[in-house]
Amino acid sequence: MTTAVTGQYGPWGIVAGGSDGVGAAFAHEMAARNLNVVLVARRVTVLEAFAEEIRAEYGVEVRTVALDLSTPDALARLADATSDLEIGLFVYNAGGDDYSTPFLDKDLDTHLKLIHRNCDSVVEAAYRFGAPMVARQRGGVILVTSGAAWAGGATLATYGATKAFDLLLAEALWAEWRTSGVDVLALVLGKTDTPSMRRVFDAKGEPYGDAADPADVAKQALDHLADGPTWIFGSQNPTGGSPFGATSRRDAVLAMSRHSHTSRASTGS
Ligand SMILES: NC(=O)c1ccc[n+]([C@@H]2O[C@H](COP(=O)([O-])OP(=O)(O)OC[C@H]3O[C@@H](n4cnc5c(N)ncnc54)[C@H](OP(=O)(O)O)[C@@H]3O)[C@@H](O)[C@H]2O)c1
């Protein structure tokens, strides 16, 4: 059974990174619950084709905004492009790292762009779109993070650090806004079958193995949006703490590093 969301989170929702993978699954699930959706991504052709698919399947309104979330003016442009809409739900999804390599094997600009997309733009999204929600005492924000946030790991340095940032940001906003009628959820994902995940495995020449279905992720996240601060998809205890528990930080980092060397971590991406 799907939970109705339009009253609490409508009439419009934004999916930042909403043209494939987990973001596309969110768009499907939101439209199925009768929300109109704004879809944000860089590749215009993919974005427009996907928007048409959602319109045709659900009959909701869909607006596309093509921009790069790793650029400094991205959120100002998104705010301008949606200033006439009441945004009741913001899903910040874009955040994967297609190229997991040792820290120094990546150029500095790539690290900084990842930080901008996964941290600066997330703060700006929460600030610009959270404020009107708090003012109207109604709304929802989902920040998609990763098991890579639980501990540092070799080849995951910048990515994992940004995901820890998103985890703590969402949890803190949940604590601040929980009495304001605005639900905030840090959605922690493990390996999930998306084009981005497949690119990582293809680059390493590794089989995909078991991976979550993005449709299940989106459905569960929307069903549990009011059960924040944190929802760990696939965990037996989804509102529980880090799977590393009381493990020493050293052992957790070594475990995370072993994992990321052999495959994309099932506790992270
Ligand atoms: N898949 C996994 O195994 C996994 C595991 C743990 C956590 N996660 C988390 O889940 C979230 C979704 O992951 P995903 O695998 O679906 O892939 P993703 O690459 O994070 O998201 C893909 C979507 O985001 C858009 N996008 C990517 N970079 C963008 C940018 N700079 N500006 C605007 N749009 C951008 C893509 O369209 P364009 O390319 O056209 O821009 C596409 O619509 C991420 O936050 C990731 O950290 C994923």
Side-chain angles (χ1 to χ4, degrees):
M1 196 187 96
T2 54
T3 308
V5 295
T6 38
Q8 172 66 7
Y9 308 119
W12 283 83
I14 294 183
V15 187
S19 64
D20 72 23
V22 175
F26 265 109
H28 272 284
E29 197 60 37
M30 288 156 66
R33 297 176 196 215
N34 214 27
L35 286 182
N36 301 311
V37 286
V38 178
L39 304 177
V40 180
R42 292 164 301 181
R43 291 164 300 160
V44 178
T45 326
V46 177
L47 181 61
E48 294 301 344
F50 180 63
E52 204 38 56
E53 186 184 318
I54 295 291
R55 283 185 198 105
E57 193 166 340
Y58 303 99
V60 298
E61 287 186 67
V62 182
R63 184 174 293 181
T64 56
V65 184
L67 50 75
D68 183 346
L69 293 159
S70 67
T71 55
D73 64 344
L75 265 293
R77 286 175 52 205
L78 180 57
D80 275 355
T82 56
S83 59
D84 58 323
L85 306 179
E86 184 177 320
I87 306 297
L89 177 61
F90 198 109
V91 179
Y92 201 106
N93 169 73
D97 181 8
D98 285 2
Y99 307 101
S100 112
T101 62
F103 183 69
L104 294 176
D105 289 355
K106 226 179 250 184
D107 63 67
L108 181 58
D109 193 48
T110 305
H111 285 295
L112 296 178
K113 281 201 165 119
L114 187 80
I115 294 167
H116 195 90
R117 185 195 59 183
N118 288 9
C119 300
D120 299 53
S121 289
V122 185
V123 169
E124 204 173 332
Y127 197 89
R128 286 180 180 274
F129 291 92
M133 292 182 202
V134 171
R136 70 174 89 91
Q137 303 269 292
R138 194 172 65 79
V141 175
I142 298 176
L143 304 187
V144 183
T145 177
S146 162
W150 297 132
T155 76
L156 294 169
T158 303
Y159 174 72
T162 66
K163 292 285 133 176
F165 181 97
D166 295 336
L167 174 67
L168 267 59
L169 179 68
E171 290 181 341
L173 294 179
W174 174 88
E176 290 193 15
W177 294 349
R178 57 197 289 252
T179 54
S180 306
V182 178
D183 297 323
V184 183
L185 192 70
L187 176 63
V188 183
L189 301 187
K191 194 164 76 168
T192 307
D193 190 359
T194 67
S196 166
M197 182 220 85
R198 288 180 177 234
R199 283 192 293 274
V200 172
F201 279 75
D202 288 345
K204 292 181 178 176
E206 290 176 8
Y208 303 141
D210 288 341
D213 181 341
D216 295 337
V217 169
K219 181 179 184 318
Q220 203 176 97
L222 289 181
D223 282 346
H224 292 280
L225 179 40
D227 298 329
T230 312
W231 189 266
I232 309 166
F233 183 86
S235 166
Q236 294 199 331
N237 183 14
T239 55
S242 155
F244 290 114
T247 309
S248 74
R249 295 298 296 175
R250 184 178 193 279
D251 287 345
V253 170
L254 290 173
M256 185 70 95
S257 300
R258 274 194 300 278
H259 219 30
S260 61
H261 274 311
T262 48
S263 68
R264 189 142 92 157
S266 63
T267 51
S269 74

